[in-house]
């Protein structure tokens, strides 16, 4: 008579199904893309701002000192008088510069001395803000200068707000992209770690008993 088979633990119907780790690892790529786009976008925006500012400086209308000339202003509003000379970005002019501006009707314009130190150095142009004035209307303005012959008077709309705005925009874009990308990567890493622990705990809980 044959012996009954040795009792064993009941076999499971099937092994536990492997659960995927979530969220998907593709989110890491998204975080990296945000960092890359932020850095590249900031660099591009900064470069465009640099080129735009350089172009505006090239377009300034200039009158030699001493001398006289007509400056054609295309629109009304605020304008700045810059003094261009070697070393303008680090020091004031070595001599006195006298300036007079007449509007299209021949009236003297009131010039406001620039108290803040605003300088630029782009290509062959190096200048320092000297005065500002308000043009009531477009037209030809006569500029008469006297004083140090090392100086050239350059007139154009102010650079401060546009340049600073572009600079802050570039920094904000670059910094924002990096912070957002790092945040996505950290959050995804934390969630995937928690998901991995949960899957591991479920696998051990559903593992068949062994003798």
């Amino acid at each position: 008579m044959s012996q009954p088979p040795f009792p064993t633990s009941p076999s499971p119907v099937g092994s536990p199904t492997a659960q995927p780790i979530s969220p998907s690892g593709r989110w890491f790529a998204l975080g990296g893309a945000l960092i890359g786009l932020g850095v590249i976008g900031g660099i591009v925006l900064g470069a465009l701002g640099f080129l735009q500012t350089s172009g505006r400086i090239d377009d300034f209308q200039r009158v030699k000192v001493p001398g006289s000339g007509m400056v054609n202003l295309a629109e009304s509003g605020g304008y700045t008088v810059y003094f261009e000379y070697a070393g303008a970005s680090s020091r004031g002019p070595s001599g006195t510069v006298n300036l007079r501006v007449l509007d299209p009707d021949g009236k003297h314009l009131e010039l406001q001395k620039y108290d803040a130190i605003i300088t630029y150095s782009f290509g062959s142009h190096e200048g320092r803000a000297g005065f500002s004035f308000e043009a009531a209307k477009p037209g030809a303005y006569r500029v008469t200068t006297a004083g140090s012959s090392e100086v050239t008077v350059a007139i154009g709309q102010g650079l401060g707000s546009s340049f600073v705005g572009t600079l802050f925009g570039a920094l904000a874009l670059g910094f924002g992209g990096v912070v957002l990308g790092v945040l996505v990567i950290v959050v995804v890493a934390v969630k995937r770690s928690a998901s991995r622990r949960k899957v591991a705990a479920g696998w051990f809980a559903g593992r068949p008993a062994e003798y």
Side-chain angles (χ1 to χ4, degrees), residues 150-178:
E150 69 172 355
V151 177
T152 296
V153 168
I155 296 179
Q157 293 179 324
L159 298 173
S161 58
S162 62
F163 182 73
V164 171
T166 303
L167 177 61
F168 275 109
L171 291 175
L173 181 60
F175 183 74
V178 170

Side-chain angles (χ1 to χ4, degrees), residues 2-194:
S2 60
Q3 296 292 329
F6 190 81
T8 61
S9 300
S11 298
V13 175
S15 355
T17 305
Q19 297 294 321
I21 304 299
S22 62
S24 170
R26 287 193 290 268
W27 284 93
F28 287 125
L30 175 61
L34 288 173
I35 294 174
L37 288 174
V39 172
I40 294 173
I43 292 173
V44 170
L45 184 59
L48 290 175
F50 181 88
L51 293 175
Q52 182 184 32
T53 302
S54 179
R56 289 181 61 184
I57 291 173
D58 288 339
D59 292 338
F60 282 169
Q61 298 181 67
R62 294 172 169 83
V63 178
K64 291 291 295 183
V65 179
S68 179
M70 301 300 294
V71 174
N72 294 301
L73 304 182
E75 57 187 51
S76 60
Y79 286 85
T80 303
V81 178
Y82 298 93
F83 297 143
E84 293 187 341
Y85 53 92
S89 59
S90 59
R91 60 176 176 82
S94 56
T96 302
V97 178
N98 296 316
L99 185 68
R100 183 177 66 178
V101 180
L102 303 179
D103 69 11
D105 299 325
K107 296 178 181 178
H108 289 272
L109 288 183
E110 183 180 358
L111 302 178
Q112 302 292 331
K113 186 174 177 57
Y114 227 98
D115 294 326
I117 299 177
I118 304 294
T119 64
Y120 59 81
S121 181
F122 286 86
S124 60
H125 301 301
E126 186 176 5
R128 174 178 291 252
F131 298 98
S132 63
F133 66 88
E134 285 289 327
K137 60 181 179 180
Y141 288 70
R142 176 167 290 280
V143 179
T144 303
T145 67
S148 175
S149 60
E150 69 172 355
V151 177
T152 296
V153 168
I155 296 179
Q157 293 179 324
L159 298 173
S161 58
S162 62
F163 182 73
V164 171
T166 303
L167 177 61
F168 275 109
L171 291 175
L173 181 60
F175 183 74
V178 170
V179 170
L180 186 58
V182 170
L183 183 62
V184 168
I185 290 174
V186 170
V187 170
V188 171
V190 170
K191 286 183 175 294
R192 282 177 62 84
S193 178

